[in-house]
Amino acid sequence: MILSVTLSKPVNNIEEKLGKDYQKIKIKAVNAAEGAAYSVELFTKTQVFHKKMNEAELCDFLKANAGVTFKNCVTRTEQEEITLMANKKGKITELRKKIAAPKDSTNSLGAQKLKILPSAKKKNYLLQEGVPVPFLILLGIMNDEGKVIASRYDKFRQINRFLEFIDDILPEFSDKTAAKEPLRIADFGCGKSYLTFAVHYFLTEIRHIPCEIEGLDLKQEVITYCNEMAKKLNLKGLIFHTGNIADYSGSHNPDIVITLHACDTATDFALKYAVERNARAILSVPCCQHQINTQLQLRGKTGGAAGGVPEEFEPLLKWGIIREKFSSLVTDAIRGEWLEAQGYKVQMLEFIDMEHTPKNILIRAIKRTAQKPQTPQECKLAKALGISPEIQKE
């Protein structure tokens, strides 16, 4: 059975052939309800479209497009990975790579370790493997028996890791849970909302805590998809809106604000919104600190002695990859200090990211009940670098 397919490197006239200027297409196996066995994401430069296919439609689609409209096609099954590559003359090369079966955990060495550490064999996730979870099945992460699809295991781990952070902060809301009042949560930049659905399921089905969750994203297609999923799963208290974080007003003040990879200054707008609405907890995984990176790039070119950054910092701006990492750390450090000044206890924690990128810092901020916000003070780090972070703007 085909588990996933990725088509990339489109031909020049792809818009004539497929109707839109698709740059990449991702296909993955999902629950075969209503005869649809595959979920398809079609990416242009600015949008993403969604559709479904059954197995016969997928085979016809690959026959018509793999190596034809897209020069590269990677197909993954449970046994092998098949790569098709077409050159400029249309000649197709096929490469096949066997996928190694997972090692048997019951070998003698593993058994010896198991006697010492009984928990070493299987991770005790909040969402347990082998227990069917409806939204994970619909999203193609689990099959109907609750087995996690091998190619989706990183996403399964990511979801569980985030739920651990949610579980850790629940004692902060003991007054609301005791009164059976719903927790109100805002998820900014929710995308396909893996985490939004996960938090809703975890609170309502595992912790039996009522909740009202709003997801917000710029992409109308994604929001339509998420609302359709919520309706199909018959989930109450979960709704998605199209909109910009900077302009969002919201119907209620949230108790918790979460963001996963809200790009660049979108994270700053989400943090400001949380503070202005007096949210008790914030869980934010930032992404793409373009604003500070661009400012540092310009400052670095002027030279320390000529009014740019202090010369001690210049080696950090000399190489693009170093400047990018430095910009990320500077941005999040300033965000952390700003949140502390607003009366929050802030922790910088390691998060698991399925893409294995540097985007793995989670900012956890908990409102201090006895501490009032401080008068904003000039940030010495921002002043030394000559930058103007969005989080510090009025």
Side-chain angles (χ1 to χ4, degrees):
M1 176 183 172
I2 293 176
L3 299 179
S4 66
V5 183
T6 300
L7 297 104
S8 59
K9 293 191 177 180
V11 296
N12 292 332
N13 61 340
I14 190 169
E15 189 169 2
E16 298 175 11
K17 295 179 179 293
L18 296 182
K20 292 187 182 294
D21 185 21
Y22 295 123
Q23 300 298 300
K24 180 182 289 188
I25 296 178
K26 292 184 177 181
I27 304 169
K28 63 183 179 183
V30 294
N31 182 33
E34 301 176 4
Y38 293 93
S39 172
V40 185
E41 293 180 305
L42 305 99
F43 298 84
T44 67
K45 291 181 180 178
T46 58
Q47 294 177 295
V48 58
F49 299 89
H50 300 84
K51 62 184 295 186
K52 294 178 181 178
M53 293 180 182
N54 58 36
E55 190 170 4
E57 289 170 334
L58 174 62
C59 291
D60 290 342
F61 183 81
L62 294 180
K63 185 176 180 180
N65 294 281
V68 181
T69 54
F70 288 89
K71 297 177 183 178
N72 279 13
C73 175
V74 179
T75 303
R76 187 181 179 94
T77 69
E78 291 182 347
Q79 291 79 33
E80 62 182 343
E81 184 177 274
I82 307 163
T83 302
L84 297 181
M85 297 180 292
N87 62 19
K88 294 180 180 179
K89 296 181 179 180
K91 181 181 178 181
I92 297 177
T93 302
E94 180 180 282
L95 302 174
R96 290 178 177 263
K97 182 174 70 174
K98 293 291 183 182
I99 297 175
K103 294 182 179 179
D104 189 354
S105 60
T106 61
N107 60 36
S108 58
L109 180 59
Q112 290 174 7
K113 290 183 178 180
L114 195 59
K115 292 177 182 177
I116 302 172
L117 299 172
S119 62
K121 182 179 177 180
K122 188 176 180 180
K123 172 71 175 178
N124 187 25
Y125 289 121
L126 292 172
L127 301 184
Q128 296 179 18
E129 187 172 7
V131 178
V133 178
F135 84 91
L136 291 179
I137 294 172
L138 197 59
L139 287 169
I141 295 175
M142 276 184 174
N143 64 18
D144 292 337
E145 289 73 41
K147 180 181 178 181
V148 178
I149 305 300
S151 60
R152 307 295 284 161
Y153 209 90
D154 281 345
K155 175 59 77 174
F156 179 71
R157 290 176 60 244
Q158 183 194 54
I159 289 171
N160 272 287
R161 179 61 174 150
F162 194 83
L163 291 180
E164 289 174 5
F165 289 118
I166 292 288
D167 201 33
D168 286 345
I169 64 173
L170 288 182
E172 302 291 334
F173 302 95
S174 57
D175 56 331
K176 297 201 71 169
T177 54
K180 298 192 180 301
E181 296 178 12
L183 280 181
R184 293 196 170 102
I185 301 172
D187 184 358
F188 291 130
C190 61
K192 290 189 69 176
S193 302
Y194 291 91
L195 296 186
T196 327
F197 285 103
V199 171
H200 184 275
Y201 180 86
F202 174 69
L203 291 176
T204 58
E205 300 298 323
I206 297 179
R207 292 292 180 254
H208 306 292
I209 297 173
C211 64
E212 297 174 1
I213 305 180
E214 291 185 271
L216 184 76
D217 200 274
L218 287 170
K219 298 176 182 177
Q220 179 61 56
E221 296 85 359
V222 168
I223 292 303
T224 300
Y225 172 81
C226 292
N227 278 320
E228 289 176 352
M229 272 197 54
K231 184 177 180 180
K232 183 176 292 188
L233 292 167
N234 195 30
L235 301 179
K236 308 300 181 184
L238 179 59
I239 191 168
F240 300 90
H241 305 288
T242 304
N244 192 322
I245 298 173
D247 306 323
Y248 186 65
S249 56
S251 54
H252 299 284
N253 287 352
D255 298 302
I256 303 171
V257 169
I258 63 179
T259 74
L260 177 66
H261 298 164
C263 190
D264 199 20
T265 55
T267 294
D268 299 299
F269 292 123
L271 297 180
K272 288 180 179 180
Y273 179 92
V275 170
E276 289 167 1
R277 296 302 187 96
N278 204 33
R280 289 201 214 175
I282 303 167
L283 297 174
S284 177
V285 182
C287 174
C288 307
Q289 288 81 354
H290 297 308
Q291 184 202 37
I292 300 305
N293 193 3
T294 300
Q295 291 183 19
L296 287 176
Q297 184 178 18
L298 295 174
R299 297 289 289 173
K301 288 181 178 179
T302 63
V309 299
E311 58 182 336
E312 294 92 339
F313 287 101
E314 286 184 351
L316 292 168
L317 311 183
K318 186 175 181 180
W319 295 280
I321 189 170
I322 299 296
R323 186 181 64 247
E324 181 181 0
K325 293 178 183 291
F326 179 59
S327 301
S328 173
L329 295 173
V330 167
T331 305
D332 290 339
I334 292 174
R335 286 168 174 163
E337 287 206 326
W338 183 83
L339 284 168
E340 286 182 335
Q342 307 305 314
Y344 285 80
K345 177 184 177 182
V346 178
Q347 294 172 288
M348 297 288 173
L349 304 169
E350 186 175 24
F351 183 57
I352 298 172
D353 186 85
M354 65 174 291
E355 300 294 346
H356 306 295
T357 71
K359 307 167 191 175
N360 63 347
I361 289 179
L362 181 139
I363 303 173
R364 181 164 70 187
I366 305 297
K367 185 76 173 176
R368 297 178 186 269
T369 55
Q371 183 174 337
K372 296 181 179 180
Q374 302 171 13
T375 303
Q377 297 182 358
E378 185 178 45
C379 176
K380 294 180 180 179
L381 178 58
K383 182 179 180 182
L385 294 172
I387 55 177
S388 301
E390 179 63 41
I391 196 69
Q392 293 186 321
K393 296 179 181 179
E394 294 291 334

